[in-house]
């Protein structure tokens, strides 16, 4: 039970970290776009410099990909055992009476197997979220570097 709670908490913490970083990255982009669009001289300079235009395009593409990966990390992909009573995708298909009777019929070994399977599925979810988050973070940092390089050149 403790291991199950630990993996559930890891999923929640991953989602919180992703959401905070996603919001921070969106805020930074809002500030950058506002600064560029409100400064006509800077906007004119960026349009007339081919290197800057290339950097801006790379930054925009990378930031779009980063946003896609951030969003993908927040969504869960449910591939659990559909017959596992602990899996909410299975439990919601039954009435309360049917679900209660099936749970009561399970032995301790069967419940442990369900719990172990759910821990395994949760660990896979955490790993997927972690990989997508890291990729999104790297892409977002590179996109910011390209945008700052476009301003410098």
């Amino acid at each position: 039970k403790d291991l199950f709670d630990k993996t559930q908490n890891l999923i929640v913490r991953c989602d919180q970290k992703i959401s905070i970083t996603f919001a921070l990255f969106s805020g930074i982009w809002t500030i950058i776009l506002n600064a560029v669009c409100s400064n006509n001289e800077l906007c004119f300079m960026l349009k007339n410099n081919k290197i800057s235009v290339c950097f801006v395009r790379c930054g925009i593409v990378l930031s779009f990909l980063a946003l896609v990966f951030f969003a993908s990390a927040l969504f869960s992909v449910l591939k659990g055992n559909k017959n596992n009573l602990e899996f909410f995708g299975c439990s919601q298909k039954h009435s309360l009476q049917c679900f209660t009777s099936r749970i009561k019929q399970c032995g301790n070994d069967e419940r442990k197997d369900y719990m172990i399977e759910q821990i395994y599925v949760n660990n896979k979810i955490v790993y997927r979220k972690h990989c997508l988050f890291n990729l999104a973070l790297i892409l977002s940092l590179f996109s910011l570097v390209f945008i700052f390089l476009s301003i410098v050149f």
Side-chain angles (χ1 to χ4, degrees):
K1 179 74 175 147
D2 289 338
L3 187 57
F4 178 75
D5 290 340
K6 182 180 177 182
T7 58
Q8 286 294 104
N9 288 335
L10 278 174
I11 291 173
V12 170
R13 287 196 310 257
C14 272
D15 285 342
Q16 289 172 341
K17 183 167 66 169
I18 293 165
S19 297
I20 289 168
T21 308
F22 182 72
L24 180 66
F25 181 64
S26 298
I28 290 171
W29 262 103
T30 302
I31 291 168
I32 290 171
L33 289 175
N34 187 33
V36 169
C37 292
S38 66
N39 188 340
N40 290 334
E41 189 177 307
L42 182 61
C43 198
F44 179 76
M45 182 187 74
L46 287 175
K47 286 180 185 177
N48 291 329
N49 187 338
K50 290 182 181 182
I51 294 173
S52 292
V53 170
C54 183
F55 282 145
V56 168
R57 287 181 179 166
C58 289
I60 289 171
V61 168
L62 289 176
S63 66
F64 177 74
L65 288 172
L67 293 175
V68 167
F69 284 115
F70 277 130
S72 296
L74 286 173
F75 292 105
S76 297
V77 177
L78 304 175
K79 294 183 180 177
N81 180 355
K82 304 300 184 203
N83 295 322
N84 183 340
L85 292 176
E86 302 286 330
F87 179 64
F88 71 88
C90 175
S91 62
Q92 59 89 27
K93 291 188 273 184
H94 303 286
S95 68
L96 177 60
Q97 292 172 338
C98 179
F99 179 74
T100 304
S101 68
R102 286 191 64 192
I103 288 288
K104 288 179 180 179
Q105 290 172 358
C106 289
N108 283 337
D109 289 339
E110 194 173 4
R111 283 188 183 161
K112 284 181 185 177
D113 290 343
Y114 286 154
M115 190 68 75
I116 289 169
E117 182 181 342
Q118 194 61 45
I119 290 169
Y120 177 75
V121 169
N122 288 348
N123 284 336
K124 287 180 78 169
I125 290 170
V126 169
Y127 179 75
R128 178 184 171 276
K129 287 178 178 288
H130 179 74
C131 289
L132 289 171
F133 173 75
N134 283 341
L135 183 57
L137 191 60
I138 289 168
L139 289 172
S140 63
L141 292 176
F142 274 113
S143 73
L144 291 175
V145 167
F146 276 112
I147 294 299
F148 287 124
L149 285 175
S150 71
I151 294 170
V152 170
F153 285 101

